[in-house]
Amino acid sequence: MKMLLPWELLILLSLTDCLAERSARHGPVFTQEPSDSVFPLRSEDNKVFINCKAKGNPVPHYKWKVDGGYIDMDLNYNLVEGNLLINHPHATHHGGVYQCIATNVFGTIVSREAKVHFATLADFVMSLAQVSLPLLMPTILCGRCLCSSPAEIKYSWVFNGRPSFLLQDTRRFVSQRTGNLYIAKVEASDVGNYTCVVRNMMTNATAYSSPTPVVLRRDAVMGEYEPKIEVQFPESLHVTKGSSVKLECFALGNPVPSITWRRTDGNPLPGKIKINHSNGVLEIPYFRPEDAGVYECVAENSRGKNVAKGQLSLEKNTNDVHMAIEANLQWECKASGKPKPVYRWLKNGEPLVLEDRILVEGGRLAVPRINLLDSGMYQCLAENEHGAIYASAELKVVASSPDFSSSPVKKSMLIQRGGEVIMECRPHASPRASISWRRGGEFLKDSTRRTIMGDGTLRISNISESDGGRYTCVARNPFGTSSSTGTLVVKEPTKITVPPLSVDATVGESIVLPCEVSGDSSLDPTFKWFFNGKLIDFNRQDHFEMIGGSAGDLMVRNIQLKHSGKYVCMVHTVVDSVSAAAHLIVRGPPGAPEGLIVGEITDSTAQLSWESGPDHHSPVTTYSIQARTPFSIGWQAVRTVPDSVPGQMFHATVIDLNPWVDYEFRVVASNNVGVGEPSMQSKQIRTKANCYNLCSQILQSGEEFGYVVAFRPLGTSTWKQTVLASPDASRYTFRNDSVPPLSQFEVKVGVYNNKGEGPSSHVVVVYSAEEEPSEPPSRVWTRTLSASEIEVYWEPITQTASSWKIIGYEVLCWEEGMQESDAEMVRVTDTAALLSGLKGSTVYLISVRAQNSAGAGPSSPAVNVTTKKPPPSQPPGNIEWNLTNSKIFLSWEHVKAMGNESEVTGYKVLYRQNWLGKTSVVETNRTSMALQVPSGEDYLIEIKALSDGGDGSSSGPIRIPKMSSKRELFLSFTIHRMNFCVLCLDFMPKG
């Protein structure tokens, strides 16, 4: 290897620095290369182009070779950009192997070799003798098929001299690779003369063959047979990135085969593909790496199918590289083919000169310790007996002094005392620079707290105030020295001085979680709160508020069970982050009991058992049992044994039930906070029954219990009877289509057991069924009363819409987005209904239908109605009261509604004597009032906010003690939201 003199090295170094500044500059890359071609010639054709184009910066210049020798540009040869123009081509003189060479300042590349032939258009077609074919037999009509043709040649066929070309369909196909016309199955309409047409798309020259007659043999008919693929694409095809590839596939057969395309790897065909000529041609434009793979053409008819496949692979180029001087170059070139290809390497268009330090093994090139003279364009040539392919790459060897312009040391670094700092030093240098650090004028060495790592990074741990100052990174390589300086500023660490503490709270209360910090006065701390791992968004969560000015205290208002969990206060500054956590435990009414089971059942008792639900951090004190029947209005409390079920007991016996009645049960838990949600209702059960008088329901004993049902048309004397042997029977249906609607019958029901028949009920008169109403109620309208109540009105149904008296209406109500089948139903006898228990700020759909004894009619069209915003959830607070001269003076704090709540319009004061007294109500739009009450009794007072959405949360009962009869009692008392505080308690003698 020749050693460079210092002046030569400096010139090359300045050149590489210039190249680095203009990084967009690069060596030539072919975008279009010449290909094997046969050019048709006619006497008027006097020019032929052989294409070649390359991109590069600077723009490449071109040379051409033919049969291994450079072409001198003369009257016959000219360059048009990179393309070679042949003037007045001659088949003998200008045929041969052509190769394009592209060069710029970075090097030279050579194109693939292209074999070029010249022929007259007449050579492409020839006359054929008459073709005589059996009916249904396939055929191939051929133009003269040369080995290859330029893309500018297009083949067509004319039938019976018509001015238009023969249309291609599933039965007929013209190959643009061979020029042949394929007919999958000959039919009688195919008899006639066929002419092959060859057109040069560049010169628009056209040649015609002489007509070829096709006649039909009448002595034979071809039978059905499976597809035979006659036109198929190569088994292996290398495609240049960005180019377009067309695959042809056509099959002969009877019936005419269908053609489909697919990929063998199961991936869908690219969305950009084009399939035309009745699926016979698949085109993939702008070929990309993801398009590579094995493609299959499937030809199929009722007799079978056939498959042709081929692999499309992307011609891969070795990647361009920019490498530092004295680095090691490793390039590998791979190609597939049969027979196995051999490899050659070119540099700047010439065979690579092998030196002692250059290693070539097949497609692998290794150059250790590269120098500036190794820069240039490299090509790997893989070839076998079928041809050759090229892969090109550019090598730029970079040599430069250290440069911090794009990656300087950080100008200012803030770090907390006791922390760790990492100062990076990453200059651009080729070869790699050696790194040292200095502080002021003193170079630094490794110590217990200070380390210079292998990549030049300086790390200092356990920072103290004395570590502050200016630090300079110095970088050196054979081409120069450079430095970059930054300043380290040491700050006091941030500390949380008042952290949040874990706390218990009751539903409805409000608490404050403190978070106060101390630290460097020049740093501005930022507070963030996280709840159960998620950042609290104070703009979207009404229950949370940041208070405390410069501190980061968190207030949680109107606490709910969902607010239980972990709260983290995180404080950020530009130098550090600290955090502290606390847990909030929310006590609330117990959750619903679970697993309710009904055990042994008698005629008047039922044994229940259940499992406890969540106690919400306040132990269950008692359980109560509720029941409902088809005859009760809602759920009713029932008597149990024991009378009061303690919270540690999970079973009880319900007593005083009625015999032979269907019951459902549920359990409700209570604790010191309040009454919880009820359990899921039990399965419906029926209490036991004895033989009894149906009218008086007097119970009798006996086995084999059953019923005797007797009935007769009103005014007749003969009873019809039927026996119901099941003791569980509760109804009997008699069907007779001849009975008119609303016919009157006398009915009585008796009972029996194995001892005989019991007494029968009184005779009652019933009517046979009528038809349901045929029309819905009209003009349904609504009025929103509050967040939970809606009034519904409608016009009564006309008598003509029902064959009998309307006995009531059913009002259906369901939330928007739900199905009508999920609707709640209210039955009324009037033409208005009050719907309650609804959700606030919710859209409901309302529908009404009439009902008579036959059932319900059709529903009216649903109307939309939106409930008002919920009432304020915050109760009146800071309640103060004074008692004097039989008057109670009250004052309280104004309640402010949240954004999703109805505005406060006034207040409601409820007062009563003791717990069982009658409640009186007074309303006011002020936050104070006086009540005139008689002396001698305790009073309980509650205050609620009023709003369009209804009554707000209650302050809870406030007990005011009775006044002495002998002396006047003067009391003053303040009730806060979270605690009670006695302000004044004085006894004053009367007079």
Side-chain angles (χ1 to χ4, degrees):
M1 169 182 167
K2 177 186 174 182
M3 296 297 293
L4 295 177
L5 296 175
W7 66 270
E8 294 176 309
L9 192 60
L10 290 175
I11 292 174
L12 289 171
L13 177 58
S14 64
L15 175 62
T16 55
D17 287 340
C18 178
L19 293 178
E21 293 174 4
R22 302 179 65 182
S23 58
R25 294 158 61 88
H26 63 86
V29 178
F30 282 119
T31 58
Q32 187 175 14
E33 298 183 62
S35 58
D36 294 347
S37 301
V38 177
F39 288 97
L41 297 179
R42 285 174 32 151
S43 58
E44 62 268 25
D45 294 334
N46 56 7
K47 292 182 181 180
V48 166
F49 278 96
I50 305 177
N51 296 324
C52 179
K53 184 180 292 186
K55 63 181 180 179
N57 187 5
V59 176
H61 60 271
Y62 300 88
K63 293 182 180 179
W64 280 82
K65 286 183 178 181
V66 60
D67 294 334
Y70 282 98
I71 298 175
D72 294 327
M73 298 301 157
D74 54 20
L75 294 177
N76 288 106
Y77 292 103
N78 291 107
L79 277 176
V80 180
E81 296 182 342
N83 304 311
L84 180 64
L85 172 62
I86 306 177
N87 296 299
H88 306 289
H90 190 278
T92 303
H93 297 155
H94 296 114
V97 177
Y98 284 78
Q99 193 170 29
C100 177
I101 300 99
T103 304
N104 69 8
V105 296
F106 295 104
T108 299
I109 56 174
V110 296
S111 74
R112 66 167 70 97
E113 294 180 341
K115 297 176 182 178
V116 176
H117 297 278
F118 293 90
T120 64
L121 275 173
D123 293 329
F124 280 85
V125 295
M126 61 177 293
S127 299
L128 297 179
Q130 174 177 297
V131 179
S132 180
L133 298 171
L135 188 63
L136 307 181
M137 181 179 180
T139 188
I140 305 170
L141 300 182
C142 302
R144 182 173 181 180
C145 305
L146 300 181
C147 295
S148 61
S149 62
E152 291 79 5
I153 291 296
K154 181 178 180 181
Y155 295 99
S156 305
W157 285 78
V158 173
F159 179 54
N160 285 339
R162 293 172 184 167
S164 58
F165 295 126
L166 183 71
L167 294 178
Q168 301 181 60
D169 51 28
T170 57
R171 201 169 57 84
R172 296 173 294 190
F173 179 76
V174 177
S175 170
Q176 294 303 314
R177 190 167 58 86
T178 65
N180 294 345
L181 167 62
Y182 299 84
I183 302 178
K185 182 184 71 170
V186 174
E187 297 178 351
S189 60
D190 296 320
V191 173
N193 294 319
Y194 291 81
T195 302
C196 177
V197 183
V198 180
R199 184 182 180 191
N200 186 329
M201 302 302 292
M202 179 180 292
T203 64
N204 209 28
T206 305
Y208 296 84
S209 72
S210 57
T212 301
V214 173
V215 297
L216 201 62
R217 288 176 52 187
R218 300 294 182 180
D219 58 343
V221 176
M222 193 75 175
E224 292 187 352
Y225 64 97
E226 66 182 15
K228 176 187 178 184
I229 295 180
E230 196 67 37
V231 180
Q232 54 186 291
F233 46 97
E235 292 183 0
S236 179
L237 188 61
H238 294 279
V239 185
T240 306
K241 183 178 179 180
S243 65
S244 177
V245 60
K246 289 185 179 181
L247 308 179
E248 290 187 342
C249 182
F250 190 76
L252 312 179
N254 183 21
V256 174
S258 63
I259 303 293
T260 56
W261 295 85
R262 66 190 182 194
R263 292 179 61 154
T264 59
D265 57 9
N267 291 328
L269 293 173
K272 62 187 175 182
I273 67 165
K274 302 174 183 177
I275 299 177
N276 48 22
H277 294 160
S278 301
N279 289 351
V281 179
L282 180 142
E283 180 180 359
I284 307 175
Y286 315 111
F287 197 84
R288 292 289 182 266
E290 60 269 21
D291 299 329
V294 178
Y295 287 74
E296 280 189 342
C297 163
V298 181
E300 189 169 9
N301 65 10
S302 59
R303 305 296 295 179
K305 71 177 180 179
N306 205 345
V307 177
K309 66 177 63 177
Q311 180 163 8
L312 303 186
S313 57
L314 185 68
E315 287 189 358
K316 294 183 179 179
N317 287 336
T318 306
N319 293 328
D320 296 343
V321 293
H322 292 199
M323 298 186 69
I325 192 169
E326 296 185 354
N328 296 324
L329 172 67
Q330 294 276 358
W331 262 336
E332 189 169 7
C333 174
K334 291 184 178 180
S336 59
K338 293 181 182 180
K340 187 176 180 181
V342 295
Y343 300 91
R344 289 190 289 127
W345 283 87
L346 306 178
K347 180 184 178 184
N348 292 328
E350 300 295 336
L352 180 64
V353 178
L354 300 181
E355 304 174 11
D356 291 341
R357 67 188 184 93
I358 298 178
L359 175 64
V360 174
E361 290 183 357
R364 181 172 173 270
L365 170 65
V367 184
R369 296 179 62 84
I370 60 175
N371 57 54
L372 293 171
L373 296 178
D374 291 320
S375 296
M377 300 300 301
Y378 288 76
Q379 289 180 283
C380 171
L381 173 61
E383 57 187 339
N384 63 13
E385 62 187 43
H386 300 295
I389 58 174
Y390 291 77
S392 302
E394 179 183 355
L395 171 63
K396 286 183 180 178
V397 180
V398 182
S400 63
S401 62
D403 179 15
F404 283 98
S405 59
S406 61
S407 56
V409 172
K410 194 173 182 181
K411 292 300 180 185
S412 180
M413 292 161 281
L414 301 180
I415 192 69
Q416 63 175 344
R417 180 172 53 82
E420 179 180 86
V421 66
I422 293 178
M423 303 183 196
E424 291 187 339
C425 180
R426 302 187 182 278
H428 291 288
S430 181
R432 181 179 173 184
S434 62
I435 303 296
S436 59
W437 285 85
R438 70 169 185 260
R439 184 182 176 207
E442 177 186 358
F443 279 93
L444 303 179
K445 296 181 181 180
D446 286 353
S447 66
T448 55
R449 294 192 303 112
R450 191 166 52 216
T451 304
I452 300 176
M453 294 183 283
D455 62 354
T457 300
L458 173 63
R459 182 174 64 188
I460 307 174
S461 58
N462 194 19
I463 294 288
S464 65
E465 290 182 7
S466 61
D467 290 318
R470 289 168 59 85
Y471 289 79
T472 300
C473 173
V474 181
R476 294 183 177 88
N477 75 359
F479 302 105
T481 302
S482 185
S483 64
S484 181
T485 300
T487 302
L488 176 63
V489 180
V490 181
K491 296 287 187 179
E492 283 297 311
T494 306
K495 294 182 180 179
I496 295 180
T497 55
V498 182
L501 299 176
S502 295
V503 64
D504 291 2
T506 302
V507 168
E509 291 183 347
S510 299
I511 64 162
V512 174
L513 298 176
C515 186
E516 297 182 14
V517 298
S518 66
D520 197 295
S521 59
S522 65
L523 301 178
D524 187 16
T526 301
F527 294 87
K528 292 182 179 180
W529 280 90
F530 294 83
F531 172 47
N532 288 338
K534 293 184 178 180
L535 179 66
I536 295 177
D537 184 350
F538 291 98
N539 294 323
R540 302 182 64 180
Q541 302 190 34
D542 297 334
H543 291 275
F544 299 117
E545 180 182 352
M546 188 93 79
I547 62 175
S550 60
D553 297 349
L554 173 68
M555 172 172 275
V556 187
R557 300 182 183 276
N558 188 21
I559 292 173
Q560 303 299 311
L561 290 171
K562 65 183 179 180
H563 295 137
S564 288
K566 182 179 180 180
Y567 290 79
V568 176
C569 173
M570 184 168 288
V571 186
H572 295 275
T573 69
V574 293
V575 298
D576 60 358
S577 296
V578 291
S579 64
H583 285 83
L584 172 61
I585 297 175
V586 180
R587 298 185 303 270
E594 301 172 352
L596 176 60
I597 298 175
V598 181
E600 183 179 348
I601 303 167
T602 70
D603 57 352
S604 62
T605 67
Q607 292 185 356
L608 306 184
S609 62
W610 61 89
E611 297 177 0
S612 62
D615 64 6
H616 294 152
H617 307 289
S618 180
V620 175
T621 55
T622 58
Y623 289 100
S624 60
I625 312 298
Q626 298 175 348
R628 69 178 178 186
T629 70
F631 314 106
S632 65
I633 301 175
W635 293 90
Q636 306 290 335
V638 293
R639 294 186 61 195
T640 60
V641 175
D643 183 50
S644 177
V645 183
Q648 297 78 27
M649 181 178 290
F650 306 114
H651 59 84
T653 301
V654 182
I655 61 175
D656 294 344
L657 301 177
N658 291 321
W660 202 242
V661 174
D662 293 331
Y663 281 93
E664 292 176 300
F665 300 98
R666 70 182 187 184
V667 183
V668 181
S670 302
N671 61 14
N672 290 331
V673 180
V675 179
E677 293 292 324
S679 69
M680 294 290 292
Q681 67 263 30
S682 69
K683 292 183 178 179
Q684 191 178 71
I685 60 95
R686 178 175 291 178
T687 51
K688 300 290 185 182
N690 293 323
C691 184
Y692 62 93
N693 182 291
L694 288 177
C695 299
S696 63
Q697 296 189 350
I698 299 175
L699 306 182
Q700 302 292 330
S701 301
E703 299 178 355
E704 299 180 7
F705 180 83
Y707 300 92
V708 178
V709 180
F711 57 94
R712 65 186 177 187
L714 185 65
T716 63
S717 58
T718 304
W719 293 92
K720 294 183 179 180
Q721 290 193 137
T722 186
V723 175
L724 305 180
S726 171
D728 296 329
S730 61
R731 62 183 296 167
Y732 168 69
T733 302
F734 171 70
R735 296 186 181 278
N736 189 332
D737 294 337
S738 64
V739 176
L742 304 178
S743 299
Q744 292 181 310
F745 283 82
E746 292 180 306
V747 179
K748 61 181 179 179
V749 180
V751 292
Y752 72 91
N753 60 18
N754 59 350
K755 303 297 184 181
E757 290 191 21
S760 295
S761 68
H762 294 298
V763 175
V764 296
V765 176
V766 300
Y767 291 84
S768 62
E770 60 177 334
E771 294 181 349
E772 300 93 339
S774 59
E775 296 179 1
S778 60
R779 292 195 61 228
V780 177
W781 70 97
T782 61
R783 184 165 69 98
T784 304
L785 300 181
S786 67
S788 61
E789 293 182 324
I790 296 173
E791 279 187 337
V792 185
Y793 307 90
W794 58 91
E795 294 289 343
I797 194 170
T798 59
Q799 187 64 33
T800 57
S802 175
S803 58
W804 194 242
K805 180 182 179 182
I806 298 298
I807 62 175
Y809 295 90
E810 294 178 350
V811 181
L812 305 178
C813 175
W814 67 97
E815 286 186 43
E816 186 179 50
M818 300 179 67
Q819 300 296 320
E820 183 177 350
S821 57
D822 300 323
E824 296 289 336
M825 183 175 65
V826 175
R827 290 189 174 95
V828 295
T829 57
D830 202 354
T831 56
L834 175 65
L835 306 182
S836 59
L838 306 177
K839 298 179 183 177
S841 300
T842 303
V843 178
Y844 285 92
L845 299 176
I846 309 293
S847 182
V848 185
R849 59 193 183 195
Q851 185 182 29
N852 61 15
S853 61
S859 299
S860 67
V863 296
N864 291 347
V865 60
T866 303
T867 54
K868 295 183 179 180
K869 290 183 179 180
S873 57
Q874 189 72 16
N878 289 338
I879 301 173
E880 298 183 4
W881 58 266
N882 295 315
L883 176 61
T884 181
N885 293 331
S886 299
K887 281 188 178 182
I888 301 174
F889 296 93
L890 294 167
S891 66
W892 56 90
E893 196 175 71
H894 175 64
V895 175
K896 185 177 180 181
M898 297 183 183
N900 61 345
E901 296 175 342
S902 295
E903 291 296 326
V904 174
T905 58
Y907 296 91
K908 180 185 290 186
V909 180
L910 302 90
Y911 61 98
R912 63 184 181 275
Q913 292 181 355
N914 294 319
W915 291 99
L916 301 177
K918 181 181 178 182
T919 299
S920 299
V921 179
V922 179
E923 294 185 3
T924 178
N925 57 5
R926 305 176 62 183
T927 57
S928 64
M929 72 179 312
L931 295 176
Q932 182 76 38
V933 294
S935 60
E937 292 291 342
D938 290 350
Y939 269 85
L940 295 173
I941 294 179
E942 293 181 60
I943 305 176
K944 299 179 181 179
L946 296 177
S947 73
D948 289 343
D951 292 354
S953 298
S954 170
S955 64
I958 303 165
R959 182 177 177 274
I960 298 179
K962 62 186 176 182
M963 188 180 299
S964 170
S965 59
K966 293 183 178 180
R967 49 187 179 168
E968 182 181 305
L969 174 66
F970 175 78
L971 293 174
S972 178
F973 204 86
T974 301
I975 297 94
H976 294 274
R977 289 191 183 96
M978 298 173 60
N979 60 333
F980 294 90
C981 174
V982 177
L983 298 182
C984 181
L985 182 60
D986 292 329
F987 288 90
M988 301 176 60
K990 216 171 185 181

